[in-house]
């Protein structure tokens, strides 16, 4: 994913810049811990719904992405509800949204 020594706030800023270069608006819906917070990203694809990307550690302790609501698109309200529930469990969590009409976005791995 990214250098685990990199602060989350810097990674988020870089990801927003990357999306700007792809002409995909990304917004920070909730700021988490700037140094070590995990990230949850909602990708909205017009006419199809949303895909969520969340960070988690593998058995070796490395960060990676997974899709907590599965591979298929879900309605936006379902994705938003999941994000809000996760935020209650983890106050350090960052919540990002990307408006992606053509389904181009993939988080850096």
């Amino acid at each position: 994913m990214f250098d685990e020594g990199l602060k989350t706030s810097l990674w988020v800023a870089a990801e927003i810049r990357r999306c700007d270069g792809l002409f995909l608006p990304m917004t920070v819906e909730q700021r988490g811990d700037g140094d070590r917070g995990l990230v949850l990203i909602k990708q909205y694809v017009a006419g199809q719904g949303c895909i969520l990307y969340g960070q988690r550690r593998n058995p070796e302790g490395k960060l990676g992405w997974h899709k907590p609501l599965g591979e298929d698109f879900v309605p936006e309200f379902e994705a938003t509800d999941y994000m809000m529930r996760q935020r209650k469990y983890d106050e350090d969590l960052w919540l990002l949204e990307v408006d992606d009409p053509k389904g181009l976005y993939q988080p850096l791995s």
Side-chain angles (χ1 to χ4, degrees), residues 3 7-8 12 15 22 27 37 41-43 45 48-49 64 66 74 76 80 86 93-94 101 104 107:
D3 179 355
K7 292 182 178 189
T8 305
V12 168
E15 191 69 354
L22 297 170
T27 58
I41 301 170
K42 177 172 72 173
Q43 173 192 21
V45 178
Q48 296 185 58
H66 72 110
V74 297
E76 187 171 14
T80 300
Q86 293 308 303
L93 185 67
W94 287 74
L104 302 174

Side-chain angles (χ1 to χ4, degrees), residues 85-104:
R85 285 194 318 268
Q86 293 308 303
R87 181 68 179 179
K88 288 179 184 176
Y89 298 123
D90 183 359
E91 294 177 358
D92 296 334
L93 185 67
W94 287 74
L95 303 179
L96 308 179
E97 294 187 15
V98 60
D99 188 10
D100 183 8
K102 296 182 181 176
L104 302 174

Side-chain angles (χ1 to χ4, degrees), residues 3-51:
D3 179 355
E4 295 196 34
L6 185 65
K7 292 182 178 189
T8 305
S9 59
L10 293 176
W11 183 88
V12 168
E15 191 69 354
I16 290 170
R17 279 198 102 152
R18 185 174 77 92
C19 285
D20 284 347
L22 297 170
F23 302 103
L24 299 174
M26 177 176 268
T27 58
V28 177
E29 296 299 316
Q30 296 246 341
R31 292 184 185 276
D33 183 282
D35 293 334
R36 58 181 164 66
L38 294 177
V39 177
L40 187 60
I41 301 170
K42 177 172 72 173
Q43 173 192 21
Y44 175 73
V45 178
Q48 296 185 58
C50 295
I51 297 282

